[in-house]
Amino acid sequence: DWRSFQKVLKQRNSLLRRGKISAAELVPWDEEFHRLATEITRMRALYVAALEPLVFAALETLWPEAEGLSLAYQQGWDKALPCREALLQQRVRDARVGHSTVGPHRADIRLRYDGQAVSDVLSRGQLKVLVAALRVAQATLLKQQTGMDCLFLVDDLPAELDSGKRKALCDLLIELDCQVFITCIDKRDMDGCGLQSLQSKVFHVEQGVISPGEQMESI
C-alpha cells in the first residue's frame, strides 16, 4: 500500500506542477490517493496504539521521573475530514505550490513534554533516553508480533547518560535477548552495566583497524 501510494503521490504532484489542470484530471488520482491514505492511516493508528504503552513501559525503567510526556499520532490532514475532502480543500494551494500538502506522507508522531515539543524543552541526554525508549519499544513490538529480533547498533552509549541510565538501557537490551553492538571511548564507562555475565566480546578500534580487546572484568 505504501509503495502504491508513493506512485500515486508522484503522479498527482506531476499533474500539479503542470500548472493549469482541470479538476477532472485530478479526480481519479484523488480517489486512489484517498483509498490508500485511509488504509495506511488505519494500519499506522493500530501500530501506534500498540507501540505507545511499550514506550512508556521502557521509560519507567529508563526515566521513571518523566511525567508530563505525551505521544500522539498526527495523520497528515485534519482528522475530522475524510482524506478526499482535505485534498479538495487544499487543491488551490496544492496547485500553487506544485505538490500535495496533505496526506499520509505528512504524518508524524508528536512527542510533547508538559504541552511543549520535546525538542524545545528536553536536554540532549533526555532526548537520547527518549529515543532509546522508542527504539526498545519498536523492537519489543516487532518481537511480540513476528518473533523476529532486532540488531542494535548503539554508538557511544555512555555519552550524556549517567551510570544509572546506562545500566537501565543495557538491562532493557539484555531482556530483549538480541545482538547488540555498543561503541564507547573508554570501556570502563560500561562497568556496572551487567554485560560481564553475558557472552560478550570486546574489540579495540584504532585508525580503522579492529583487534580483539581485553574482556570486561566483573565488578
Side-chain angles (χ1 to χ4, degrees):
D1 283 340
W2 178 250
R3 286 193 295 267
S4 296
F5 173 76
Q6 289 296 306
K7 293 177 182 178
V8 171
L9 178 64
K10 183 178 179 180
Q11 292 294 333
R12 188 177 192 271
N13 287 347
S14 179
L15 277 173
L16 291 168
R17 286 192 295 269
R18 281 171 48 185
K20 292 184 178 181
I21 55 174
S22 67
E25 289 179 284
L26 276 178
V27 166
W29 294 110
D30 283 2
E31 283 303 307
E32 188 65 1
F33 189 112
H34 165 82
R35 183 186 71 81
L36 292 167
T38 301
E39 180 60 15
I40 289 168
T41 299
R42 182 190 68 81
M43 291 188 288
R44 282 176 167 175
L46 289 173
Y47 178 80
V48 172
L51 182 69
E52 183 175 6
L54 297 176
V55 173
F56 287 101
L59 282 172
E60 286 181 9
T61 298
L62 290 170
W63 189 13
E65 63 274 18
E67 297 180 359
L69 188 71
S70 64
L71 181 154
Y73 172 55
Q74 305 289 322
Q75 64 181 22
W77 72 92
D78 186 346
K79 64 182 181 181
L81 297 175
C83 187
R84 65 166 61 89
E85 289 188 24
L87 288 172
L88 184 59
Q89 285 188 2
Q90 295 297 319
R91 184 173 291 175
V92 173
R93 181 189 177 197
D94 288 356
R96 185 175 67 252
V97 300
H99 62 266
S100 306
T101 58
V102 294
H105 59 296
R106 308 281 293 182
D108 199 2
I109 292 179
R110 299 289 174 84
L111 292 156
R112 306 185 76 81
Y113 189 78
D114 287 339
Q116 300 181 66
V118 293
S119 57
D120 294 336
V121 294
L122 298 188
S123 68
R124 287 171 60 90
Q126 290 169 329
L127 288 171
K128 185 171 182 176
V129 168
L130 181 54
V131 170
L134 285 165
R135 297 305 191 197
V136 167
Q138 286 180 292
T140 303
L141 185 56
L142 180 71
K143 191 163 189 173
Q144 288 179 356
Q145 294 188 342
T146 69
M148 296 174 63
D149 288 319
C150 283
L151 169 64
F152 278 87
L153 308 176
V154 188
D155 185 38
D156 199 8
L157 185 147
E160 297 164 336
L161 297 183
D162 61 29
S163 59
K165 286 189 169 46
R166 293 198 292 268
K167 174 66 163 58
L169 178 53
C170 286
D171 285 345
L172 289 175
L173 294 174
I174 291 169
E175 187 177 339
L176 281 170
D177 192 26
C178 57
Q179 191 172 22
V180 182
F181 289 86
I182 297 173
T183 67
C184 60
I185 303 300
D186 187 338
K187 71 183 181 71
R188 290 174 296 183
D189 289 335
M190 299 303 299
D191 288 347
C193 288
L195 303 179
Q196 294 85 359
S197 60
L198 303 177
Q199 294 180 344
S200 57
K201 294 183 179 181
V202 179
F203 298 91
H204 180 70
V205 183
E206 186 171 355
Q207 295 183 348
V209 178
I210 303 175
S211 58
E214 296 179 4
Q215 296 302 304
M216 291 184 175
E217 299 178 358
S218 298
I219 59 172

